Every structure is written in C-alpha cells, then in structure tokens.
Amino acid sequence: MSEAGPTWQLIDEMIVRNGLSDNGVAAARWAVGRLRMHLGESWLSRQYKKQGWVPRELLLVGTHRYALPQLLSWALWLDGAAGEPTFAKVRTTMRKGVDTATWRHTWLQLEVARAAASSGSPCSFEPPIPGSVKNADLLIDPERRPWMVETTTVPRGAVDMAWEDYEDHVQAVIRRIERTHDVTCVVALDDHMDETETWEWLRAVGVLASVAAESHEVQVLRGDVGVVTIYPDLSPPGPTFAGAPQNRDGWHRLGRTLAKKAAQIAGPLPAWVRVDCLDGLFQFTDWTTMEPADRIGAIAALIRSKITWPTNAHGVVLSSGPGVNFDGNDAAAQAVTGRSESGVFLRRLTHPYLVRETFIVPLSSEATEQTDWWAAAYGDEPAWLDIDLAAVGLPKTAGLFL
C-alpha cells in the first residue's frame, strides 16, 4: 500500500480465493462496487488522507471469511437507505471522511434501520427532538405511532488498547524468534510485566529456541509472564498464542455514556437508547460468567437505579456488537433466547463466523410492545443477510465460501 493509502483497484486485486467460492469472489466485488458507488470514487483516498485509516473489512474482504458478510451487509444497508431522503445528510457526512466513532455510529444507525425493516416499520434518520435543539438518530414509524432511537457506542478504553499493544508486541517478537530458529512457540500468558522484565523473558525464549532447534527436543520456559512451549519439528494443532486473562469494571464507562444519552433524549416522544459495548463488558468482566437471566437482572438493576431517566425513556438495548465466533456456524445451535422480569436476552449468529449477544431492558411498563419489537427484530437477525442477498439476485451466504 502506498503512502497515499489504498485504492479501489488495490482492494479489487486483493479479493482472491482465500476460502471464497467463485460466487464469493463475485459477491465481494459487488459489495466493494456498491460502497464505491455510494461513497464516491475519491472516498478511499479522502478518508485515508483525513483520518489515516480505512475500514479493515474493506482490506480483509478477500482474505478473512468474517469480513465478507459484514461488508455485504454494509453495502445492502446503504442500498436500503439510499431511497430515504433523510439519509442524504448522513451519507454526505460519510463521504467527507469520518473518524472511527462516527463510522461506528453511522453503521449502528443503519443496523437499527434494518431491524425496523425486518419488523415492517418505516423509519427516518436524524429527526429533530420536539422541544429541543438536538436531533435523535432515528424515528421509528413516523406517521403512525412515532418513537425515537438514540444510538451510541462505548469504544475500547485506553487501558484495553494498551493491553492489546503489549500482546501484539510480544507476539511479533515471538514470531520473529520462530522464523529465526525454524521452530513453533505455543504461548500462554498469565500476566503482563514491565518492559525490562518482558525483554528479559523474550531473550530467554530466543535462547531456548536455539537449544530446541539444535537438539530437536521440545523445550518449555516458565515465568511470571507465562509459559512458552517450543517445538522444533511438528507443532501441535490448535492456537499458538493465548493472551493473559483480563478483568474490567464494565459499568463505569457504560454508565457515563447512558447518563449523557438520558439527558439528550428528554422530550415528548417515547425513546430508546441502542448501545454497542466494545470496551470489554461482554468479554472481560465478572458479569460475563453469569447465566443469562442473572446477567440481565444485574445489568438491568444498574441501568434502572444508577441513571436518572426522563419520563419518556422506554428502554435500553445493549449489545456486544458482532464478534468473531469460535463455536461453530450452526445458526440454530447458536440461537438462545431468554426472558425474565428484567428483560430479554438474545444470542444469535448474525452472519457466518460472527455472533452477537443482545440485552433488551425496558424502563417502563408502557414499553412492553416495543420490547417485543426489539426482540422480534434482532431475533431474526441471522436471516437478514440471505433475504437481502436474494433481493438483489446474489446467492445465499452458504454459497459464498469453499
């Protein structure tokens, strides 16, 4: 990739058959073409020049299986929104080049719009909040029984990104050791150490890798940072790098985000807040070890008691966002629905190789109908992509991969 960033031609050239069928390659090129049409011929260079990044799904669409369903969804959602006059302002903002927060926010708006379509509900974008100078993100059923949706994302925090940077650095050094000595290192981290201790540990791994290569015997190095098993010949199947366990206070950042949205949505219309939590709440907190009913009870209690909600607030929809799934691609086997007095829990295989967990927390006894609306819409999410692909004459997702 040049200093000017990727080009549409380069992305097209990168769409090769790494796991994709002929139909998959054609679908990938179709999706890239639709984004090119909607966002503009010069969008890639403008986006890269202004923000220094482009969506990784574009760069990985020809090589990573999870990227193709995501990119297809984006292209189809843009197609679906293109005919809605109120979306024009949102698309204009996208075409100028946006930061990661605005990018995520826009796709969450489009995702909710797709959920509305699955329930047969019309929606509009960026509606004014009556009695306020602010706008909401979506208005559902604007002509009959309107209600608002405000979307937002809790992004990864600095601590989480520093954690990832550390492990990325350790992995890079380990892979360099492997290439130097023609060995395979299976790493299981227990903790993170300071820079000096980490470098000493990695130097010890390099010395032991040399021993393994010369002796053709498996070597094991144990330390405070973790365990490395070095294989000089055939390596065992399975993953070769396991990061250290993480734990987070998931409520602090979520609570701060919800408090801001509670102040923003105040008005005469019923309102919901739709949140994607990408900061580890669904992965790195004690909350994740609970059964679904206990999890939704615990999070609902915090959402209801710790936030001062306006009287028109009807509920919160909290999601993990789509994450790479390692437990198989049987949509029926992955589907879990749980209901309790606190709300609704959904786990769905949203696309091949991607899974989402969603919690629907009503805040009012008047929110029952809309709670069911959310549960029905997101409960059907695994079917969205195939339905949309069929509508434009493309094969189902099962035919896109080898």
Side-chain angles (χ1 to χ4, degrees):
M1 188 164 65
S2 70
E3 292 183 1
T7 64
W8 293 114
Q9 180 180 351
L10 175 63
I11 290 173
D12 185 76
E13 291 171 355
M14 291 193 300
I15 298 175
V16 293
R17 186 179 289 183
N18 290 342
L20 301 182
S21 66
D22 289 343
N23 284 334
V25 170
R29 290 193 166 126
W30 178 88
V32 171
R34 300 307 287 176
L35 263 68
R36 188 175 184 174
M37 183 195 77
H38 287 297
L39 298 178
E41 191 68 30
S42 60
W43 175 76
L44 267 179
S45 59
R46 185 185 307 115
Q47 171 67 31
Y48 189 81
K49 182 178 180 181
K50 184 175 181 180
Q51 300 294 338
W53 69 276
V54 296
R56 70 168 60 188
E57 287 79 3
L58 267 174
L59 302 177
L60 301 180
V61 66
T63 57
H64 288 63
R65 290 188 173 202
Y66 80 86
L68 176 56
Q70 189 72 72
L71 200 68
L72 282 167
S73 292
W74 289 353
L76 290 158
W77 294 350
L78 277 175
D79 275 357
E84 168 54 48
T86 58
F87 183 67
K89 182 179 178 181
V90 179
R91 185 172 63 177
T92 297
T93 299
M94 293 178 72
R95 290 169 69 103
K96 291 178 180 178
V98 296
D99 59 19
T100 54
T102 305
W103 181 260
R104 285 192 299 262
H105 181 265
T106 302
W107 292 113
L108 194 51
Q109 283 181 280
L110 286 164
E111 178 193 295
V112 175
R114 180 59 184 85
S118 74
S119 295
S121 303
C123 72
S124 60
F125 294 84
E126 304 287 338
I129 299 175
S132 170
V133 297
K134 298 179 179 179
N135 288 44
D137 289 318
L138 295 121
L139 187 64
I140 308 296
D141 200 5
E143 300 298 328
R144 194 170 63 93
R145 300 173 63 185
W147 50 285
M148 300 185 306
V149 178
E150 184 67 18
T151 61
T152 189
T153 298
V154 181
R156 298 171 63 200
V159 171
D160 186 41
M161 288 188 284
W163 189 282
E164 182 175 313
D165 286 344
Y166 177 93
E167 299 203 345
D168 284 348
H169 177 68
V170 169
Q171 268 201 86
V173 176
I174 291 289
R175 299 303 171 234
R176 191 158 60 241
I177 291 170
E178 288 178 325
R179 291 193 298 271
T180 300
H181 299 287
D182 194 21
V183 297
T184 299
C185 298
V186 178
V187 181
L189 296 184
D190 296 321
D191 201 355
H192 290 184
M193 310 297 284
D194 66 31
E195 185 176 358
T196 300
E197 292 171 315
T198 301
W199 272 113
E200 289 176 355
W201 181 73
L202 288 169
R203 278 196 291 270
V205 173
V207 171
L208 208 56
S210 176
V211 172
E214 292 177 4
S215 67
H216 294 281
E217 293 181 356
V218 175
Q219 303 293 320
V220 179
L221 177 65
R222 290 181 172 87
D224 292 339
V225 70
V227 179
V228 182
T229 306
I230 305 170
Y231 296 87
D233 299 312
L234 294 176
S235 61
T240 59
F241 190 93
Q246 298 186 59
N247 193 53
R248 296 283 186 272
D249 173 10
W251 172 252
H252 176 70
R253 300 179 76 237
L254 173 60
R256 186 173 57 190
T257 298
L258 290 177
K260 291 179 181 178
K261 290 301 175 184
Q264 184 173 337
I265 63 174
L269 294 178
W272 282 74
V273 179
R274 168 72 181 89
V275 188
D276 262 0
C277 280
L278 308 182
D279 66 336
L281 173 67
F282 282 78
Q283 295 85 17
F284 307 130
T285 63
D286 292 339
W287 181 62
T288 64
T289 63
M290 302 177 185
E291 292 298 318
D294 295 330
R295 289 169 70 190
I296 196 167
I299 200 70
L302 289 169
I303 289 172
R304 291 167 179 165
S305 65
K306 297 293 186 180
I307 305 298
T308 302
W309 293 101
T311 56
N312 66 311
H314 273 207
V316 175
V317 179
L318 188 67
S319 163
S320 63
V324 178
N325 179 54
F326 298 103
D327 295 329
N329 277 315
D330 184 340
Q334 293 294 318
V336 178
T337 302
R339 287 180 177 267
S340 73
E341 293 181 355
S342 299
V344 181
F345 166 80
L346 302 172
R347 177 183 170 88
R348 292 293 188 273
L349 193 73
T350 61
H351 303 118
Y353 307 101
L354 293 174
V355 69
R356 181 204 303 279
E357 290 187 346
T358 303
F359 290 79
I360 305 164
V361 179
L363 299 174
S364 163
S365 59
E366 301 173 354
T368 301
E369 182 179 345
Q370 290 158 4
T371 299
D372 293 340
W373 184 95
W374 285 108
Y378 276 94
D380 288 341
E381 189 174 5
W384 293 358
L385 183 53
D386 279 347
I387 290 171
D388 294 345
L389 289 171
V392 296
L394 291 173
K396 293 183 176 180
T397 52
L400 303 181
F401 304 102
L402 293 176

